[in-house]
Amino acid sequence: MAAPSRHVGHYIQRNSRILLNNFEQLWSHRNFGWTSALRQQAAEANKEPTDTIVIPRKKTWSKEAVLEALSSTVGRDPTAYPYNFQDDPFLSPRTVNEFKLCSLSKESGKSAAKFFINNNPKYFTTDFAEPHIPCLMPETVSLLLEDVSEEALKERVSLRKVTAAVEMYDQLLQSGTAVSMETTYDLLDLICLYCDKDPVEEGGAQSEDMEEPGEEVRQGLGKQGLGRQGLGRPRRASDIMKSSWKENNNAERIFNLLPERDTRCYSALIRGMVKHGAHAKAFSIYTDLLNNRLTADVHIFNALLTAAPDVRDKYHERWGLFAELLNQMSQQKVQPNLSTFNSVLKALRRCGSLAKTQAIHTLNEMKAMGIAPSLASYDHILNAFSKAASSSGAVSTDILQEVMSELEGTSFTCQDPDDVLFFSTAMKICLNNKDLELGYRVFNLVEHGENWRLLGPLHKQSFFYQCFFKLLCMMEHIDVVLTWYRKLVPSLYYPNIQCLQDLLQALDTDSRLDLLPTIWKDIRALGHDNKVELVEELLMLMARDKHSAEVQEAFAACALDIKNVTEADRRKTPMEWSTTSLSNITSLLLRANKTQEAWATLKLFKSKNRVPKEPLLEDFLSVCCSDGSSQRAVELVQLSAAFCLSDTAKLAKRTLAELDLTEEQRAVLSELESTGESSG
């Protein structure tokens, strides 16, 4: 159909042009003039189209283009577990402990596999991956050159063999072979980076020989205590012992052997000293650089700015040292970069009340120089303002509001190691100030593009979602809270005990206690069914008030499930029954007319060395009286007497008055009544 229609249209267009030309000639013979509009229309009709469409022969696509296109068509499944646990559905973690164990196991397995592949490369020569994935192929970790030469030294440096590289360098010097300055600088960089020690190979055993930390490092440890190390991990003494700078090590020895020293060798030594805790000595080497009439580079100043708070005790002295270093940068015409300003902002967090004012000045100077702040820059500013606000007793979100106004709708890439700390810090401020709207803005920024990649390691991700969910439970309606709960768990977040308790309190606040049995199923699935405080709060909320028969039936089934799960628990730390828990379970079973199960639970008081409360026995007796269970009522009074409760006589008297009893039962109750009255 398409081809005939095209031909018909072509003939119609051609015939219309012929007809128009003939019509024009006819009217010209009759001496009638054309108007300008009609002549223009006729000229356009006679003119053939000249615009052509150029079709490219071939478009080059990346090898991942198809995968990226397919990935863009689907979103995150909130009911699925995280992607790194979906290899085997049977092994997907369903509890917090399983999540931690599975994560550590997978990382350990990857490290072990990489160690084996790198040490046995001859067995892994075939590359099946398309496109090629370099990280799946073995790396060259063995030395190929054994002769004493500069090429062998370069090989050892490239393979990060610190000890072997130093030995080769010494052999070259002893043999009288000259080593180029470029190779010597590379060796010095390697030694300073790893503090004159071979780096721990991934998957290999760690070395046990640790050097004692120097006096400067010990003082720093004593002052800082549990400071922030790496990505927010508490600082450990073992970390400092492994990375302490040793006096007169190979880096200093090679540095002193250099015939000529320039900025690069000074930069390597100073950065190594700062990295490994020798802050005062780094400033001494910098003074030596100035005495030799050399100019420092931006990396030297960045390292010194980081170390400045450790060589000054008072806040104003620290800021004075910052200003002096920045002035020297200006005098030496060294252009600062993002790391320079981030080093200043990070160090300002240790300057007390000065941090708040100087941080804003630093940020303005940063923007004036055309350097865009990273997330780490804003994180340091937020921390500076938060500390100042907490010391004054007034916490405000004004600074975070301004930061969010600048960042909203922006996609970020990691430019600084501390970039991953911003989102957790921002959400913590929202929680402390109970600012729900601002919390939504921070969360939306995380969801924008691939900003979620900057949430940081697992514990930082968990902290971010914990703060956000706690804020929702405090400020949002319960229906919205439950919507977010289903969206976040378990695909993004495994809630801890505190978050589940916040959810229970939110249900209580909005009078939606009918959903408690559903929450109990999640508590079981998350492995928190042995947490005493959580289970007791759940039982307390169910047993506190009376509800409709349907709800009471669901509560009773939930209470019975809690009882069965606890009794069948074979874990190392099973939940211990308390008097409150057993009382609440018994009350819930009684309200649902499950008398037999309630009586079995009541017997647990004796076996668990717990004493029931008297109102519980009175409620149980009321159920027995309404059901006409005389024998059960007698046994209840006997149980009360066994616990030596003061209400035994009262229970016996009430049973005698309200139930039809046999003579034997009356005799037993009369004796219990008289015994109770005499003991009372």
Side-chain angles (χ1 to χ4, degrees), residues 76 375 404 407-412 419-428 430 438-456 460-465 468 484 487-488 492:
R76 180 180 57 84
L375 289 179
M404 290 305 302
L407 299 183
E408 280 179 321
T410 308
S411 296
F412 300 97
D419 282 349
V420 297
L421 304 178
F422 170 77
F423 289 116
S424 56
T425 301
M427 190 57 73
K428 181 181 178 182
C430 296
L438 189 58
Y440 276 128
R441 293 174 65 185
V442 174
F443 189 88
N444 291 335
L445 182 60
V446 171
E447 292 289 299
H448 180 77
E450 294 191 346
N451 291 342
W452 57 270
R453 295 183 182 275
L454 296 177
L455 283 176
K460 283 294 179 184
Q461 296 179 26
S462 179
F463 179 77
F464 173 82
Y465 290 116
F468 179 64
W484 278 104
K487 182 179 179 181
L488 299 177
L492 294 176

Side-chain angles (χ1 to χ4, degrees), residues 106-397:
K106 288 178 74 69
E107 291 302 320
S108 177
K110 290 179 181 178
S111 299
K114 190 171 184 179
F115 175 79
F116 184 82
I117 291 175
N118 291 339
N119 285 273
N120 300 275
K122 59 183 179 180
Y123 300 115
F124 304 93
T125 58
T126 305
D127 186 6
F128 295 98
E130 180 62 36
H132 174 68
I133 305 176
C135 64
L136 297 183
M137 300 304 294
E139 300 176 0
T140 303
V141 295
S142 58
L143 299 175
L144 302 178
L145 302 177
E146 296 296 339
D147 58 325
V148 179
S149 63
E150 186 171 343
E151 292 300 323
L153 176 59
K154 291 180 179 179
E155 180 191 42
R156 283 153 177 76
V157 171
S158 63
L159 295 178
R160 300 182 299 172
K161 305 288 186 181
V162 178
T163 304
V166 172
E167 292 176 355
M168 180 60 67
Y169 180 79
D170 292 337
Q171 292 178 16
L172 288 172
L173 293 184
Q174 292 173 4
S175 64
T177 304
V179 181
S180 65
M181 295 302 297
E182 188 67 26
T183 304
T184 305
Y185 291 157
D186 292 340
L187 174 61
L188 192 60
D189 289 338
L190 178 68
I191 299 173
C192 293
L193 176 63
Y194 293 107
C195 197
D196 200 11
K197 299 176 183 176
D198 285 320
V200 178
E201 188 173 352
E202 189 173 357
Q206 295 185 4
S207 175
E208 296 181 356
D209 54 335
M210 300 180 187
E211 299 290 343
E212 287 294 329
E215 181 65 26
E216 185 177 351
V217 176
R218 284 196 294 267
Q219 291 177 358
L221 178 62
K223 291 179 182 179
Q224 296 176 14
L226 294 178
R228 184 170 284 178
Q229 174 82 2
L231 298 180
R233 182 172 58 84
R235 202 173 185 183
R236 302 172 184 171
S238 59
D239 296 331
I240 299 178
M241 292 180 68
K242 291 178 182 178
S243 61
S244 60
W245 186 268
K246 186 178 179 181
E247 190 75 17
N248 296 323
N249 59 9
N250 285 317
E252 295 184 25
R253 180 175 64 85
I254 294 175
F255 176 80
N256 294 327
L257 290 175
L258 292 176
E260 296 181 3
R261 301 170 190 168
D262 59 4
T263 302
R264 178 174 174 182
C265 61
Y266 276 102
S267 177
L269 195 63
I270 291 175
R271 293 162 69 186
M273 289 177 175
V274 172
K275 176 179 175 63
H276 301 292
H279 304 122
K281 194 158 189 177
F283 276 90
S284 176
I285 297 296
Y286 174 67
T287 303
D288 184 60
L289 177 144
L290 296 180
N291 293 335
N292 289 331
R293 299 178 182 272
L294 294 175
T295 301
D297 60 10
V298 66
H299 305 294
I300 292 178
F301 283 110
N302 293 348
L304 294 177
L305 288 169
T306 302
D310 293 294
V311 296
R312 295 290 187 272
D313 293 329
K314 297 182 179 180
Y315 296 151
H316 68 275
E317 292 179 353
R318 292 175 179 176
W319 174 248
L321 184 55
F322 297 155
E324 181 182 352
L325 289 172
L326 294 174
N327 288 331
Q328 291 179 10
M329 285 188 72
S330 177
Q331 294 171 4
Q332 299 179 30
K333 298 181 180 180
V334 177
Q335 185 71 17
N337 56 17
L338 176 63
S339 298
T340 306
F341 288 100
N342 281 349
S343 298
V344 175
L345 291 171
K346 186 174 184 178
L348 277 173
R349 293 165 56 176
R350 299 170 58 185
C351 291
S353 57
L354 290 174
K356 186 175 180 180
T357 55
Q358 299 300 337
I360 295 299
H361 294 161
T362 304
L363 182 63
N364 293 334
E365 182 69 19
M366 186 178 187
K367 294 180 179 179
M369 298 193 66
I371 300 176
S374 68
L375 289 179
S377 310
Y378 292 112
D379 176 71
H380 300 323
I381 293 175
L382 291 178
N383 278 282
F385 273 76
S386 297
K387 289 182 179 180
S390 59
S391 62
S392 63
V395 181
S396 175
T397 59

